[in-house]
Amino acid sequence: MSCVCQPRAERLAAAASCRAAAAGRTGFLRPCSAWAGKGTCKPFEGTCKPFEGTCKPFEGRMELLGAVLLAASLLGTAARGAQAPWPDEPSHTCFFQTLSSPDSEFCRGDLEVTYPQLGDVGCSYIPQCHQYRWRLSREWGSPRVRYPRADKGTDLRTGDLKGRVLTDYVRPTPPPRSGYHRYQLRLYEQPAGQHIALGPEELLSLGAWAMESFVERFRLGSPVASTQFLTKHHED
């Protein structure tokens, strides 16, 4: 496994074909092709560890008659102890780092959360380079969410989600000088015939309602898939 600056299309294809291999890497470079003329790709300084094992395709089909997608912004407490493995690099080089344990254990089921230019941010830190944190909190709208394991042809599999929105998307806005904050997305299977709705107090809370109470009230059980990313204030 070589450590090179791959074109974006090749990198995304490789990540999709064997996502489990990412667990064996200590870090990787995002492509510089989008920023031609603004710098050069630098070789990865470290050790690329090949994935030891076998990537097995998902066996069977998961048919979701209905699904509930919940996003949690854990702004009450910062991700204590979560530090980027290296400082932010100059703008011509952009390092992306995957989350380590225990944060990485939250990511399961191959749920994809894609923002413009960033690609799938699941289970990773958002770096400062190219104003990514600023764009995440000030410019970009809701991400494209895709669940490849869903039954073929469903909205979840293609990322073209349709349905009733309970609360509108709110951009991640971690406070200044508060460190990294976790932003989580959880996918639940909606019980057949179950009507999902917010209560009067939840409707008035502007999205700040208790997810645990919501899940328990509608008996959603454990998430089918979940992921998270960490980011901090764009000026930090």
Side-chain angles (χ1 to χ4, degrees):
M1 179 178 180
S2 60
C3 304
V4 297
C5 293
Q6 293 180 309
R8 185 170 187 271
E10 294 180 7
R11 180 182 57 76
L12 293 178
S17 63
C18 189
R19 190 176 180 83
R25 294 180 301 184
T26 58
F28 58 95
L29 280 172
R30 282 295 168 102
C32 300
S33 57
W35 309 97
K38 296 184 179 180
T40 58
C41 288
K42 292 185 176 180
F44 173 69
E45 297 178 358
T47 304
C48 283
K49 298 179 181 179
F51 174 67
E52 298 179 357
T54 303
C55 290
K56 298 181 180 180
F58 175 70
E59 298 179 357
R61 305 194 322 178
M62 177 173 290
E63 299 184 2
L64 299 181
L65 299 178
V68 181
L69 180 65
L70 301 180
S73 57
L74 306 186
L75 290 179
T77 57
R80 299 186 182 278
Q83 299 292 333
W86 42 64
D88 291 322
E89 297 294 321
S91 60
H92 61 273
T93 303
C94 196
F95 285 101
F96 273 63
Q97 176 69 18
T98 55
L99 301 183
S100 58
S101 181
D103 283 316
S104 61
E105 297 171 5
F106 183 84
C107 308
R108 63 183 187 87
D110 295 336
L111 187 63
E112 298 178 5
V113 181
T114 303
Y115 284 97
Q117 301 179 31
L118 280 173
D120 183 13
V121 299
C123 221
S124 66
Y125 292 91
I126 305 298
Q128 173 72 351
C129 54
H130 303 317
Q131 297 184 318
Y132 283 149
R133 292 179 192 156
W134 182 89
R135 293 175 178 178
L136 187 69
S137 61
R138 301 293 183 85
E139 178 180 313
W140 294 329
S142 58
R144 178 174 176 262
V145 180
R146 195 172 77 92
Y147 182 52
R149 293 188 181 184
D151 186 35
K152 184 177 181 180
T154 66
D155 297 342
L156 280 171
R157 188 178 182 88
T158 61
D160 183 21
L161 302 184
K162 299 180 180 66
R164 185 164 53 92
V165 178
L166 300 182
T167 55
D168 292 327
Y169 172 78
V170 178
R171 295 186 180 102
T173 54
R177 298 177 296 279
S178 62
Y180 281 94
H181 290 253
R182 299 178 179 90
Y183 293 86
Q184 301 180 340
L185 287 91
R186 310 178 190 187
L187 178 67
Y188 294 87
E189 183 173 2
Q190 182 174 344
Q194 180 74 276
H195 177 69
I196 304 294
L198 297 179
E201 294 183 358
E202 293 169 333
L203 290 172
L204 295 175
S205 68
L206 300 178
W209 39 273
M211 180 181 297
E212 291 77 10
S213 299
F214 179 88
V215 171
E216 182 178 353
R217 184 166 75 250
F218 292 104
R219 299 180 180 179
L220 298 178
S222 299
V224 174
S226 59
T227 191
Q228 66 176 338
F229 61 87
L230 270 67
T231 188
K232 59 182 177 179
H233 192 268
H234 62 276
E235 293 183 350
D236 291 350

